[in-house]
Amino acid sequence: MFVKSLGIMALVGAATLLAPLSQAASLSAQEQAELKQLKDVTLNSDLSYRLIESLTTEVGNRMMGTPGDEKAVRWAQDKMKELGFDKVWTEEITDELWIRGEAEAKIVSPYPQKMVVLALGGSVGTPEKGITAPVAHFATLDDLKAAKPGSLDGKIAFVSYRMERHIDGKGYGPAVGTRVIGASIAAEKGALALIMRSVGTDNNRTAHTGLMRYKDGVKQIPAAALSNPDADLLVNQLKRGKPVNFHLKMSSSRETELVTSANVIGEITGSEKPEEMVVIGAHLDSWDVGTGALDDGLGIGMVLSAAHYIGKLPKRPKRTIRVILFAAEETGLLGAKDYVKRHKNDMKQHMIGAEWDFGSGRIYQMNPGVGASALNGVRELAGYLAPLGVSLAPDNDARAQSDMGLLSDAGMPSINFSPDGMAYFDYHHTENDTLDKVNAEDLKQTTAVYTMFSYFAAQSGIDFRK
Amino acid sequence: MFVKSLGIMALVGAATLLAPLSQAASLSAQEQAELKQLKDVTLNSDLSYRLIESLTTEVGNRMMGTPGDEKAVRWAQDKMKELGFDKVWTEEITDELWIRGEAEAKIVSPYPQKMVVLALGGSVGTPEKGITAPVAHFATLDDLKAAKPGSLDGKIAFVSYRMERHIDGKGYGPAVGTRVIGASIAAEKGALALIMRSVGTDNNRTAHTGLMRYKDGVKQIPAAALSNPDADLLVNQLKRGKPVNFHLKMSSSRETELVTSANVIGEITGSEKPEEMVVIGAHLDSWDVGTGALDDGLGIGMVLSAAHYIGKLPKRPKRTIRVILFAAEETGLLGAKDYVKRHKNDMKQHMIGAEWDFGSGRIYQMNPGVGASALNGVRELAGYLAPLGVSLAPDNDARAQSDMGLLSDAGMPSINFSPDGMAYFDYHHTENDTLDKVNAEDLKQTTAVYTMFSYFAAQSGIDFRK
């Protein structure tokens, strides 16, 4: 998943946005009763959990182009049909396949010890015999940037910056830069490889992978993440002041042959304005480690459940509910990029959208990004959600999460729902992203929120556009 | 480490053992002041932590017969000398070397997925191509025992029992049986291999190893532990009612060539009765995964610190403080067995002993196993330790932890100090047993308790023998 680096969100001034409900609620009494019914049903349903259990048990991890990805595309279509969607289809994308291969590493001297590492997504491999070289240690990416050209000739660059734990995941932004661009910066200074402390808040001996990019025209060097305990151990050896020699061997590669995946899209068709869409989404792919339970099995379970329960109402809401399960988010938002291009001409019919790509944890806040004339409607929705512990953020500047951020950029109004993300980065992009990390009770709350939001946006007829 | 399965310890009746200090305290006012000084020094010292940091950083894991074990024996002697011990020596042992090799596993069908496994310590390997066979699932070891002979022909037996989390570690006993004897029981029914849920309380994708034994005359089959999330996944696939095929490949082996290790022993020699010993210990070896920070780096740090600070007093206590760092605890208490045999004739000079082999966590209770005439002295000690949060258990039946249990069996009086063990089995025998799991503050309390106990037992002159 991708997280927006939020900075500090002032809670003062919330009253300016969150005011008492106006007497002219956009939902009728009967519609409000229907909304209440959806809330009660989803708060008592384990459907989201069962969907995640099914996906992680029967499919498992599903990186773009792998057999798991192909199975996931089939699984998603089957589930949408089983769950009573009116339309189900796929939109194909293609890309080169990246192959993780094997990664092994060790400290060679002064105190030989094995290291737990994972290749960063997209990295090249090492020569077959691996690379053995002295470690040049940098506390931060900025320190690496400040190194003189040539100063890393023949060395392995190591950035030991540790991600901070925050409820809104804002520690991710300052940490992830090394992962994304560190290898090329190190290569510009002459380094043979980049190793870095995993972008993660845990102390498990499981490294965190994630996407990296090479700068054009810069030598492509291998890049790997060490688990946090391994990064500690390397730092402790470096602290002793003796040269530290490190060995890294990775068989990662990028294949030139193209592989195919697909966005899987399903709809509960609107009864009065079917061309106007409320879109909810998650990404279908995962990294090729763990079983993708949190990232993003959780979002998949939530949005499928939301559409299912709305589809079970006696009558379809006025607008269409469109569920998009995006392909290849992890490997570069490829599904989202394709979607925006393909749906350029009907983007104005995307009345509002919300993605979920931030794991387990109860939603505590909603942040709109809508036209000013829709703010009364947002306050009304906030009133319905308040009993679930969801407050309304003071700002009207939301960009949707992850894939749907690109739809926001293309003009789609959005609501961003913020969950408690304290534990998320303990498991993000690791082998540890497995079903047991899903909190089944919190999942009921997040599913209820997405269901209520979707129904409200589809039934109220409010124009959220800017 | 080995944990005694404690059952329920009644706290009623504690008053019968814990009574107000008698007026005739066995320590003089000056000695009590010295005890208080030791408490203050150790509660403010990070020496134990620095020792664990040194061991885990410069040595790392150290299974009997590995290069790490050899380094650890050297490290321990060097540290004892640096820390001012009066005598330092080793007592050698020999054994066959077990080699872990590589272990890999996967579910082949109905839903292919990778599994995280570790060979159990002492297991044979599989044929080179591995074993692929249907899984026969048992919820408990008793269920496996109840299977009919021949009913597991051509199958892989899987026991999915999950260890319970308890403060005193009592969930270990009911869980560990499968690990120790499960393979032979499965083999008697015809199984090709045993796989089991790890004996651990965590949800990490890291399996727990530990010692297993083969019954004489029963076919030796490979045995491996799955991480808890992997055991969950396998159970979830089995629940679907289709046959589950599993692949296990392990290159473990036992070498016939003998390897050598050693108990490392050091003393602060008594000033008045040097032949009378107070013995404190831990085990020097670890499994060949993780860096052995909790198991048993922690105990090593504590007992070295305790002897060091007692040795820094202006005068040696009356009795000798003997520190024993046992070899090869994990692979079968080999150091302890050798020690008991070798010291048979002076076992009566072991006035009292305590081992530490139960990881991080503050001590909340002490349980004596001493002669009745020493109980007043034990109550006096309990009075000194009470401000550190240590209560006195009602029973006088303690057997020392781990290695020193064998010394208890040979007649040595013991005190068993019980720490909060809630988190211990999250990390026990896994790659995750690393320095970051050591709580530096709790470690000060446990070090203070062991230091005070050792000083009290050496200086008071109480005869603890039964």
Side-chain angles (χ1 to χ4, degrees), chain A residues 419-440:
Chain A
D420 181 335
M422 291 296 274
Y424 185 61
F425 289 99
D426 289 350
Y427 309 118
H428 180 245
H429 295 182
T430 71
E431 289 289 0
N432 249 339
D433 181 358
T434 47
L435 183 63
D436 51 281
K437 310 308 179 307
V438 174
N439 182 316

Side-chain angles (χ1 to χ4, degrees), chain B residues 198-323:
Chain B
S198 282
V199 180
T201 48
D202 60 300
N203 282 322
N204 287 315
R205 207 93 183 271
T206 37
H208 297 240
T209 189
L211 194 62
M212 56 88 64
R213 302 275 191 201
Y214 291 112
K215 271 197 223 175
D216 288 342
V218 177
K219 192 185 170 198
Q220 301 194 350
I221 63 171
L226 307 184
S227 85
N228 269 310
D230 289 275
D232 290 342
L233 180 55
L234 180 53
V235 168
N236 285 341
Q237 291 210 10
L238 286 158
K239 271 184 191 163
R240 283 159 165 78
K242 299 175 191 165
V244 173
N245 272 283
F246 196 93
H247 176 77
L248 177 68
K249 187 175 162 187
M250 282 166 41
S251 57
S252 313
S253 65
R254 185 168 283 283
E255 305 294 298
T256 47
E257 197 186 338
L258 292 180
V259 287
T260 299
S261 186
N263 293 331
V264 180
I265 305 173
E267 285 184 357
I268 302 294
T269 309
S271 55
E272 294 186 15
K273 297 178 172 177
E275 74 289 358
E276 291 189 5
M277 287 174 285
V278 173
V279 293
I280 49 178
H283 65 84
L284 186 55
D285 68 317
S286 74
W287 277 108
D288 55 337
V289 293
T291 59
L294 297 180
D295 189 11
D296 189 17
L298 213 126
I300 295 167
M302 283 165 56
V303 298
L304 289 178
S305 287
H308 168 73
Y309 282 115
I310 292 171
K312 282 186 76 178
L313 292 172
K315 195 182 164 197
R316 296 282 184 261
K318 293 174 185 164
R319 288 172 173 155
T320 291
I321 312 274
R322 174 175 287 187
V323 173

Side-chain angles (χ1 to χ4, degrees), chain A residues 232-247:
Chain A
D232 291 342
L233 180 54
L234 180 54
V235 168
N236 284 342
Q237 291 210 10
L238 286 158
K239 271 185 191 161
R240 284 158 164 77
K242 300 176 191 165
V244 173
N245 273 284
F246 196 93
H247 175 78

